[in-house]
Amino acid sequence: YTINKKNYAHIHFSNEVVPKNPFKRREYEKRKMELNKIAEDIKQNHPNTKRLISSTWIRNYKFYTDLFPKKYENGIRGRKDEGPTHMGYWGQFYRHDGTFNHRRAIQFRENWKFPLKPLQATYKIDDFFKMYL
């Protein structure tokens, strides 16, 4: 995660368990433990943090949104803070095992639109703490 100038924590996921799927079975439980450690670290080292932001194409899937509080602010919207050079867009062309997702590339080339729109949600940090601490 990173903390921005507004004291918002922006959460980032990177698949460092290739070729495993980072959201299946025991790996999914590890993601929850990582979020617990992130919550502890934010609370201890960044006590002025007000919000948690999640913005990625993976937000299109329930398994990902279930990792976060059900209640969010400002609705879910497309990313405005970063253009399509960000992995929040291009990451959808990788499979969990690190190989290229040809099906999504074909979809993209049909109309030059990303198959999955990167989405953003903002949570009160206290709701995140209630879930993980």
Side-chain angles (χ1 to χ4, degrees):
Y1 74 92
T2 55
I3 304 289
N4 69 16
K5 293 175 188 174
K6 294 181 179 181
N7 286 323
Y8 289 13
H10 193 142
I11 196 96
H12 312 277
F13 276 90
S14 175
N15 187 2
E16 297 180 8
V17 297
V18 169
K20 297 177 186 176
N21 184 327
F23 297 108
K24 292 286 183 181
R25 298 179 185 88
R26 289 194 338 220
E27 292 300 323
Y28 191 75
E29 294 306 313
K30 288 179 187 177
R31 302 300 76 83
K32 289 180 179 180
M33 291 186 314
E34 291 167 347
L35 288 167
N36 172 262
K37 288 179 184 176
I38 288 171
E40 288 174 352
D41 192 69
I42 291 171
K43 188 153 185 105
Q44 181 177 1
N45 297 309
H46 304 281
N48 295 326
T49 301
K50 296 173 177 61
R51 307 273 187 277
L52 178 79
I53 300 172
S54 165
S55 47
T56 177
W57 64 273
I58 304 172
R59 286 201 60 76
N60 288 277
Y61 293 104
K62 185 176 180 341
F63 67 80
Y64 181 84
T65 59
D66 283 351
L67 290 171
F68 296 93
K70 300 295 179 220
K71 199 166 102 179
Y72 51 85
E73 298 177 336
N74 303 325
I76 302 252
R77 60 187 184 278
R79 293 181 60 94
K80 293 180 183 175
D81 58 331
E82 296 170 337
T85 58
H86 190 269
M87 282 300 285
Y89 287 85
W90 295 102
Q92 64 189 283
F93 295 105
Y94 290 99
R95 295 184 185 283
H96 73 271
D97 62 2
T99 60
F100 187 69
N101 190 325
H102 291 280
R103 181 181 57 81
R104 288 215 182 115
I106 290 167
Q107 288 175 300
F108 180 74
R109 291 186 71 185
E110 285 174 357
N111 59 16
W112 298 106
K113 293 182 181 174
F114 290 93
L116 297 171
K117 185 177 182 179
L119 302 172
Q120 179 172 300
T122 304
Y123 307 92
K124 291 181 180 177
I125 198 69
D126 288 337
D127 290 338
F128 180 64
F129 290 160
K130 285 177 192 171
M131 191 168 181
Y132 285 102
L133 296 180

